[in-house]
Amino acid sequence: MRDPWQSFLVFLQNPSQPIYPQVSTQVKWRHILGYFFKVKLAGTFLILFFLILGELAGLYDPIEAHSYDFEESLIQVFILYVALGPIIEEGIFRYFLGKYRSHSFFPILYYVSSCVFGAIHLFNFKLGPSHTFFMPLISLPFIFAGLVYGFIRITYGFWYAVGMHMMYNLILILMDILTDWIDQLVKSM
């Protein structure tokens, strides 16, 4: 496998000409894990770093995410955010990409679907007037996610993109649970 970043960047330059790896399912999942850790997580954390810097510099009010109600049902949270959410979102934003990958307008479709995916995720946050000018920046981690999931969808297939999306959401949920647990632990001291 070529370096994950290099493969991803080559694809971004010309999404109409993906290189399809002719490898087993097991090797494809190893590739997906490589892309997940080397591209998806690294890129997302880099973007989040700059978002935090903007917040610390006072460019906008702190960005607050809508919280999950873990008290109600952890199983419901996992079903909704880790299982169903990625299947539904990948179905809406990327399933159709496979049908149009040979058309001349495919690159536009690929980039627009990623931007809409990013914009939709702005609803995950409680945003105020100070965030208006910075909404493109705030949606950047999700646009980046859309680009990565679209790359995986076209290069490896729909269910591989769903799997990567599920892995990412699982990590976010587990981090949320861990921070809630640490907060409760600190408050009880």
Side-chain angles (χ1 to χ4, degrees), residues 21 28 93 103 125-126 128 153 166 171 181 188:
K28 284 183 180 180
F93 293 104
H103 288 73
F125 303 99
K126 299 172 185 172
R153 192 276 177 255
M166 286 177 169
I171 287 175
W181 180 75
S188 70

Side-chain angles (χ1 to χ4, degrees), residues 67-143:
S67 59
Y68 311 105
D69 188 3
F70 293 120
E71 311 309 325
E72 209 163 293
S73 172
L74 191 56
I75 292 171
Q76 285 178 330
V77 169
F78 274 95
I79 290 171
L80 184 62
Y81 295 101
V82 179
L84 292 179
I87 292 170
I88 293 167
E89 288 181 350
E90 293 304 311
I92 291 170
F93 293 104
R94 280 167 280 286
Y95 183 79
F96 67 92
L97 290 176
K99 182 178 179 179
Y100 296 106
R101 69 176 144 217
S102 61
H103 288 73
S104 61
F105 57 85
F106 174 75
I108 295 168
L109 202 58
Y110 168 73
Y111 289 114
V112 167
S113 74
S114 295
C115 289
V116 172
F117 179 76
I120 290 295
H121 280 80
L122 287 172
F123 291 104
N124 290 356
F125 303 99
K126 299 172 185 172
L127 300 175
S130 73
H131 300 108
T132 305
F133 181 73
F134 296 98
M135 282 186 183
L137 180 65
I138 294 166
S139 67
L140 200 56
F142 302 102
I143 294 170

Side-chain angles (χ1 to χ4, degrees), residues 49-63:
F49 172 76
F50 287 107
L51 282 173
I52 291 167
L53 282 181
E55 194 175 294
L56 292 173
L59 297 176
Y60 42 82
D61 293 334
I63 300 169

